Amino acid sequence: MGVNLKDIAQRAGVSLATVSNVVNGYRPVGERTRQRVQQAIDELGYSPNLGARHLRRGRTGLIALAVPELTNPYFAELAEIAISEAAALGYTLVMENTAAQREAELALLDGSRQRVIDGLILSPVRVGRKEVLARTAGSPLVLIGEGVYDVPHDHIAIDNVAASHAAIRHLVAIGRRRIAFIGATPGGDRQSAHLRVRGYREALAAAGLPYRPRLVARTDAFGRLDGMRAMRDLLALGDPPDAVFGYNDLIAIGALRALAEAGHRVPEDVAVVGIDDIEEGRFTAPTLTTIAPDKREIGRLAVRRLVARIEGAEVEGPLTVQTPFRLLRRESTGTPDA
Amino acid sequence: MGVNLKDIAQRAGVSLATVSNVVNGYRPVGERTRQRVQQAIDELGYSPNLGARHLRRGRTGLIALAVPELTNPYFAELAEIAISEAAALGYTLVMENTAAQREAELALLDGSRQRVIDGLILSPVRVGRKEVLARTAGSPLVLIGEGVYDVPHDHIAIDNVAASHAAIRHLVAIGRRRIAFIGATPGGDRQSAHLRVRGYREALAAAGLPYRPRLVARTDAFGRLDGMRAMRDLLALGDPPDAVFGYNDLIAIGALRALAEAGHRVPEDVAVVGIDDIEEGRFTAPTLTTIAPDKREIGRLAVRRLVARIEGAEVEGPLTVQTPFRLLRRESTGTPDA
DNA sequence: CATCACCTGTATAACGTTATAGAGCCGCGC
DNA sequence: GCGCGGCTCTATAACGTTATACAGGTGATG
């Protein structure tokens, strides 16, 4: 069904290898021959069979981006960026959905998929340092987000502790004293939540506010529903919070919903802050104050690093890169930016 | 870096071909030999090199799902379903983002990507019947959503006219008389919008209500921002609507935001209905009434049809399948379901 | 006992590409 | 005039798999 190198070679009256050299620029080819070959390529409409090329080269041209949930807009937005960056570098990005399941993450780290992709970008949730170190697959791995540190792989993330600080400082600055956190996790396996809780505690301490364990709500997952339920529980406390910091925007949006249902005003009664800056947060009522990571930077950097490793390039700088973030003030804390 | 058939063949003391037959079950193999080979496979940890297999078979095992925007939750939710269905059938699904651009859609229909994927599921926005018919690439194509009809390809969609009917009937039933539509498109290239407008007009007529062109708002795209802007314009009319039907949930959510900003109560002053049943609509304030397509059915059917065509199976039934939908009443029309 | 069919297993030619070794040719220097 | 290096180009062997044709052995049939 396809035009192949042989067809071009016949048409142009040269050898197979010469056509290959014209296509890949691997060896110098005389100007006249090059033109004749190029003309044949244009006339017959040749495009290389990637399967064969990759068999020969030992690479597939595929990289995978594995996220815990496709339907979390943060990851969808990140994926959109990563896909276009990968395309620009000549790679095809395959989305993998781990559904936040340990087995799925392990299978990606070491499973048979490894034979078909050249490299993996993983947002780990259920695996930790140990599992990453135990990995035997040889293809490059880039970690994004949090959860795993001190491993010999590139790692792109924001400084979660600092991000928490910024959120809490803002809430303190607008006069809040009873600040809750939603999205702590039971196990020690999701370190990002721990980091965000740590930043929360440190910032409270810095502001001279007491740490009240009852104001830290645990959730099983990190969706809107989890945020809503946790917020309901917090409101049922004898002395409910006057501000809430959510593990992410989805949790914060769930909290907004619970507050609306219970008839509390935001931000007058309770202020709300999230993390991720998903587009949805610009349209909620009220709009959501959030910590905005530089998604473009994260997506592009992750893909570029991975491709550089795949192609054996020397990568300068440290393995771990912390990307910038900023606080976006919106209605849910009462002091919108301009 | 990998164990290959030859290694297994040596270890088991049989020929290459026999190992291949054990792996693929293509030819009968004696029980004793099979066990010896299987043992060698287990011991050495063999898994086939998919690149080579696909080169030989002429297929890559990749199918693409091309959508106009990854960040539209409807497509993210659909993708999640399609990915797992594809995996169950032994295929890898690659997401492609056309960004609602004509060039991107054309490139997918006929471009060089066609050499690397076995089949394509496309949600067309900017190409029409003509472009699909002009396609020369030989791989199977399944269309989802609307926009293109009367082409020799499988097509999975809901009945848009009927969906509009259901939405408008509901609004009429709760006593609305000035019902607006947001999301008509200027060109004739996005037929789904036309179909939904048609259903809107027909249902108005059936209810004995006049069709007011000024209540049909055009938008460039179909995001929250478009819905918000259009709603603002509608509110600026001398005689604003008492209900709004959005082209999709995102548009309806944008409308909700504009209404909140302008201080209108929903549903008391203006009722709002969308289409898609994205999760976000269950958490807005108020929650969003919507027409819910059966996303699971759409995603699974699209993948199954495509794979069946790729594998040359006979597919029974007509090319075009209309999947079911239902109306979910929530707060934005004042009459939540149980 | 010869013929035939059948059943297992084997040898080998593809699939389309790239990398390696080398062939031909030309001009330059000794 | 011969050898040598440099420049193009060619022939060909892989890459790992599957499909085809065939070989060898066994049992049944005439």
Side-chain angles (χ1 to χ4, degrees):
Chain A
M1 125 163 161
V3 180
N4 58 18
L5 278 187
K6 205 159 90 185
D7 300 333
I8 304 294
Q10 274 179 2
R11 175 90 163 211
V14 296
S15 83
L16 216 61
T18 301
V19 181
S20 174
N21 287 334
V22 169
V23 172
N24 297 293
Y26 168 65
R27 282 283 208 79
V29 175
E31 190 50 37
R32 276 187 45 172
T33 343
R34 149 165 286 117
Q35 282 183 3
R36 244 198 356 266
V37 171
Q38 191 58 54
Q39 191 182 350
I41 288 178
D42 294 342
E43 285 173 10
L44 294 173
Y46 168 77
S47 68
N49 179 317
L50 300 181
R53 166 176 291 179
H54 295 144
L55 168 60
R56 186 60 238 253
R57 285 190 176 161
R59 297 204 207 118
T60 63
L62 255 48
I63 60 181
L65 170 62
V67 300
E69 28 173 15
L70 272 182
T71 49
N72 182 331
Y74 173 74
F75 291 116
E77 293 173 17
L78 191 65
E80 215 163 72
I81 294 161
I83 284 178
S84 73
E85 183 70 17
L89 297 176
Y91 284 75
T92 298
L93 190 140
V94 178
M95 295 290 305
E96 297 279 352
N97 187 10
T98 64
Q101 291 186 337
R102 187 178 159 78
E103 290 70 28
E105 293 184 6
L106 286 174
L108 279 165
L109 280 176
D110 250 326
S112 68
R113 262 297 154 72
Q114 278 294 324
R115 302 228 19 170
V116 71
I117 58 171
D118 292 340
L120 172 64
I121 302 172
L122 174 67
S123 173
V125 178
R126 301 284 180 215
V127 297
R129 182 163 178 272
K130 197 174 59 181
E131 291 86 350
V132 171
L133 284 175
R135 165 183 148 98
T136 60
S139 63
L141 170 68
V142 173
L143 299 166
I144 57 173
E146 316 82 6
V148 177
Y149 290 92
D150 255 338
V151 289
H153 297 285
D154 291 295
H155 183 194
I156 323 275
I158 65 170
D159 181 340
N160 278 282
V161 177
S164 279
H165 280 203
I168 303 301
R169 271 204 309 272
H170 173 53
L171 289 171
V172 170
I174 61 170
R176 306 304 159 128
R177 293 295 173 264
R178 295 184 57 80
I179 303 172
F181 180 90
I182 301 181
T185 36
D189 50 2
R190 172 93 181 201
Q191 303 205 2
S192 56
H194 285 257
L195 291 172
R196 291 180 188 178
V197 171
R198 203 173 93 203
Y200 160 83
R201 292 186 63 166
E202 289 177 7
L204 285 184
L209 293 174
Y211 166 63
R212 303 176 211 267
R214 287 175 45 169
L215 291 186
V216 175
R218 292 181 169 177
T219 57
D220 294 329
F222 302 96
R224 301 176 188 87
L225 190 59
D226 305 284
M228 183 173 76
R229 287 179 178 153
M231 189 72 237
R232 282 180 187 156
D233 292 345
L234 285 171
L235 290 175
L237 292 178
D239 195 1
D242 59 10
V244 177
F245 175 39
Y247 169 81
N248 65 15
D249 279 358
L250 289 182
I251 289 225
I253 285 167
L256 284 182
R257 172 72 202 164
L259 288 162
E261 280 178 0
H264 291 83
R265 292 167 307 160
V266 177
E268 293 83 353
D269 302 333
V270 183
V272 178
V273 178
I275 300 191
D276 280 353
D277 185 28
I278 62 179
E279 189 189 324
E280 184 176 346
R282 287 172 228 166
F283 290 86
T284 47
T287 52
L288 182 67
T289 293
T290 190
I291 300 286
D294 190 339
K295 285 186 282 260
R296 180 154 301 278
E297 184 68 10
I298 295 173
R300 294 175 71 177
L301 210 51
V303 170
R304 282 201 205 140
R305 284 266 172 139
L306 188 67
V307 168
R309 301 280 179 200
I310 289 169
E311 298 180 349
E314 289 299 315
V315 176
E316 65 212 39
L319 284 175
T320 297
V321 177
Q322 288 192 331
T323 52
F325 63 85
R326 57 208 180 94
L327 174 74
L328 295 181
R329 305 168 189 214
R330 300 211 191 93
E331 294 166 1
S332 70
T333 57
T335 53
D337 288 329
Chain B
M1 126 166 163
V3 180
N4 58 18
L5 278 187
K6 205 158 90 184
D7 300 333
I8 303 295
Q10 274 179 2
R11 175 89 162 213
V14 296
S15 82
L16 217 61
T18 302
V19 181
S20 174
N21 288 334
V22 169
V23 172
N24 297 291
Y26 168 65
R27 281 283 210 83
V29 175
E31 189 50 36
R32 275 188 45 174
T33 342
R34 147 165 287 117
Q35 281 184 3
R36 240 194 5 263
V37 171
Q38 190 58 52
Q39 192 183 351
I41 289 177
D42 293 343
E43 284 172 13
L44 294 173
Y46 168 76
S47 67
N49 178 316
L50 300 181
R53 167 177 290 179
H54 294 144
L55 167 60
R56 186 60 237 251
R57 284 189 177 161
R59 298 204 207 117
T60 63
L62 255 48
I63 61 181
L65 170 61
V67 301
E69 28 173 15
L70 273 182
T71 49
N72 182 330
Y74 173 73
F75 290 116
E77 293 173 16
L78 191 65
E80 215 163 73
I81 294 160
I83 284 179
S84 73
E85 183 70 18
L89 297 176
Y91 284 75
T92 299
L93 190 140
V94 177
M95 295 290 303
E96 297 278 354
N97 187 8
T98 64
Q101 291 185 339
R102 186 178 159 79
E103 290 69 29
E105 293 185 6
L106 286 174
L108 279 164
L109 279 177
D110 249 325
S112 68
R113 263 297 154 72
Q114 278 295 324
R115 302 227 21 172
V116 71
I117 58 171
D118 292 340
L120 173 65
I121 302 173
L122 174 67
S123 173
V125 178
R126 302 283 180 214
V127 297
R129 182 165 178 270
K130 196 174 59 183
E131 291 86 350
V132 172
L133 285 175
R135 165 183 149 97
T136 60
S139 65
L141 169 68
V142 172
L143 300 166
I144 57 173
E146 317 81 6
V148 176
Y149 290 92
D150 255 339
V151 289
H153 298 285
D154 292 295
H155 183 195
I156 323 276
I158 65 170
D159 181 339
N160 278 283
V161 176
S164 280
H165 279 204
I168 302 302
R169 270 203 310 273
H170 174 53
L171 290 172
V172 169
I174 62 170
R176 306 303 159 128
R177 293 293 173 266
R178 295 184 56 80
I179 303 173
F181 180 89
I182 301 181
T185 36
D189 53 359
R190 172 93 181 203
Q191 303 206 1
S192 55
H194 285 258
L195 291 172
R196 290 180 189 180
V197 171
R198 201 173 95 203
Y200 160 82
R201 292 186 63 165
E202 288 178 7
L204 286 184
L209 293 174
Y211 167 63
R212 301 178 216 266
R214 288 176 46 168
L215 290 186
V216 175
R218 293 180 170 178
T219 56
D220 295 328
F222 302 96
R224 300 175 188 88
L225 190 59
D226 305 283
M228 183 173 76
R229 287 179 178 153
M231 189 72 236
R232 282 181 187 156
D233 293 345
L234 286 171
L235 290 176
L237 291 177
D239 194 2
D242 59 10
V244 177
F245 175 39
Y247 169 81
N248 65 14
D249 279 358
L250 290 182
I251 289 225
I253 285 167
L256 283 182
R257 173 70 203 165
L259 288 163
E261 280 179 0
H264 292 82
R265 292 166 307 161
V266 177
E268 293 82 353
D269 302 332
V270 182
V272 178
V273 179
I275 300 190
D276 279 353
D277 184 29
I278 63 179
E279 189 189 321
E280 183 175 347
R282 286 172 228 167
F283 290 85
T284 48
T287 53
L288 181 66
T289 293
T290 190
I291 300 287
D294 190 339
K295 285 186 281 263
R296 178 153 301 278
E297 184 68 10
I298 295 173
R300 295 175 70 177
L301 210 50
V303 170
R304 283 201 205 141
R305 284 267 172 138
L306 187 68
V307 168
R309 301 281 179 200
I310 289 169
E311 298 180 348
E314 289 298 315
V315 176
E316 64 211 38
L319 284 175
T320 297
V321 177
Q322 288 193 329
T323 52
F325 65 85
R326 58 210 180 91
L327 174 74
L328 294 181
R329 305 168 190 214
R330 300 210 189 94
E331 293 166 1
S332 70
T333 56
T335 53
D337 288 330

